[in-house]
Amino acid sequence: MASLPPVTSPPTLEVSPAFYGRRPLWRRVLANRALSVGGGLLLLIILLALLAPWISPHDPYTQDLAYRNVPPFWYDKGTWLHPLGTDQLGRDYLSRMLFGARISLTIGASVALISGLIGTSMGLLAGYFGGKTDMAVSFLVTTRLAMPVILVALATVAILGGSLGVVIVVLGLLKWDRFAVVMRGATQQVRTQEYVAAAQAAGASTLRIIMTEVLPNVIPHLIVIATLEAASAILLEAALSFLGLGVQPPLPSWGLMISEAKAYMFFSFWLIAIPGTALAVLIFAINLAGDGLHHFLTPEERA
């Protein structure tokens, strides 16, 4: 009688981790603490700013001298009618804070967009073509760096007059140098890669190579610089408004609110503490979200 063949266990199949795919997007976002915390704070501020016309308890411009300098609700004399108190003209502080967030976010985004378009274009051209183009852009960057931003902004706004539009345009035309420097260096690294050489060998136009091969690979650097410049523009606007040369009354700019409250800082400290804290939290959230997004978009994190 023939013996049966020995029983063998089935071969084990080694499955590569790539078989299961990458981690879900939301897991990767939550694993990035900087992006989750900073992005969460920033999204909350943006949401409050967008909903300001509907969630504000009062009109931010309505004055009521009978309720001047009412303290926030956590003080003994505070009232829930004005949760964050009122200013020296009896205007509701919570409403002005919510509408002030709209102004700060508008300035940060607009300045980053204007300066980003100028600086990124110059940096891409200088980094890709080199030679005389690089020399010309480097000369413009050096010239711009020789001019202090705050002094030039003060002089320009003093001549043209302070307003929201003037502040955005002036800062947008002054904050492009960092975009140009970083984009130039990043483009010089990318243009030596094999995929750029392959596109050139395939006969792709220069514009197509820059837009489809170079630009997508320098976006992580662009995002970080955009967040830094947006935060810097918000601080500069607050400084200009504090000096009386930025956003003009009665607009509820956080910098202007601090300026209007400086005469009451020893008697009504919250008038400075509340917008100052909000300004610090917004800058912190933008910088933290930008740093986290930079790490999130690196090739190591996308793999």
Side-chain angles (χ1 to χ4, degrees):
M1 182 177 178
S3 60
L4 295 175
V7 178
T8 59
S9 58
T12 58
L13 180 62
E14 295 184 0
V15 181
S16 170
F19 175 80
Y20 298 102
R22 296 180 298 179
R23 290 182 297 170
L25 178 63
W26 66 272
R27 286 185 178 273
R28 290 190 290 142
V29 171
L30 291 179
N32 190 323
R33 295 295 180 84
L35 180 57
S36 58
V37 175
L41 280 174
L42 185 57
L43 287 176
L44 177 61
I45 295 173
I46 293 174
L47 183 62
L48 291 175
L50 292 176
L51 297 177
W54 295 277
I55 64 177
S56 297
H58 300 276
D59 188 325
Y61 305 105
T62 300
Q63 302 178 14
D64 188 353
L65 297 181
Y67 285 91
R68 294 176 65 249
N69 293 336
V70 173
F73 69 90
W74 57 83
Y75 284 86
D76 294 336
K77 296 182 179 180
T79 172
W80 282 101
L81 180 63
H82 301 285
L84 294 183
T86 60
D87 62 5
Q88 66 278 4
L89 295 177
R91 296 172 295 191
D92 182 70
Y93 228 48
L94 176 58
S95 302
R96 291 183 66 79
M97 288 296 301
L98 292 174
F99 278 86
R102 297 165 69 96
I103 294 178
S104 294
L105 291 172
T106 299
I107 289 174
S110 301
V111 171
L113 178 62
I114 296 173
S115 58
L117 288 175
I118 298 173
T120 300
S121 301
M122 297 175 66
L124 287 172
L125 293 176
Y128 186 83
F129 292 105
K132 294 182 178 180
T133 303
D134 188 16
M135 292 177 60
V137 172
S138 298
F139 174 77
L140 292 176
V141 171
T142 304
T143 304
R144 158 58 200 88
L145 292 175
M147 300 183 297
V149 174
I150 187 64
L151 294 181
V152 176
L154 282 172
T156 306
V157 173
I159 295 173
L160 299 178
S163 67
L164 181 60
V166 170
V167 170
I168 290 175
V169 173
V170 170
L171 294 181
L173 295 178
L174 289 174
K175 300 289 292 177
W176 54 265
D177 53 283
R178 189 175 297 179
F179 284 97
V181 172
V182 174
M183 288 298 102
R184 172 183 174 272
T187 303
Q188 287 177 336
Q189 294 178 353
V190 171
R191 73 174 182 179
T192 60
Q193 300 299 317
E194 295 180 356
Y195 51 82
V196 175
Q200 293 173 339
S205 63
T206 300
L207 180 60
R208 181 180 179 83
I209 293 174
I210 292 177
M211 298 303 296
T212 61
E213 303 294 340
V214 177
L215 184 58
N217 289 282
V218 298
I219 283 181
H221 303 280
L222 179 60
I223 291 174
V224 175
I225 300 304
T227 55
L228 290 175
E229 293 303 320
S232 175
I234 293 173
L235 283 177
L236 282 174
E237 179 275 327
L240 291 173
S241 298
F242 181 82
L243 296 174
L245 294 174
V247 176
Q248 298 299 304
L251 290 178
S253 164
W254 289 348
L256 182 60
M257 292 170 67
I258 296 175
S259 176
E260 292 174 341
K262 63 180 181 291
Y264 303 87
M265 62 181 300
F266 296 111
F267 310 101
S268 304
F269 176 70
W270 66 86
L271 293 176
I272 288 181
I274 292 176
T277 302
L279 193 61
V281 171
L282 177 58
I283 300 303
F284 171 77
I286 293 175
N287 287 331
L288 193 62
D291 182 68
L293 196 57
H294 168 69
H295 292 291
F296 184 78
L297 294 176
T298 55
E300 291 81 6
E301 291 288 335
R302 288 180 294 178

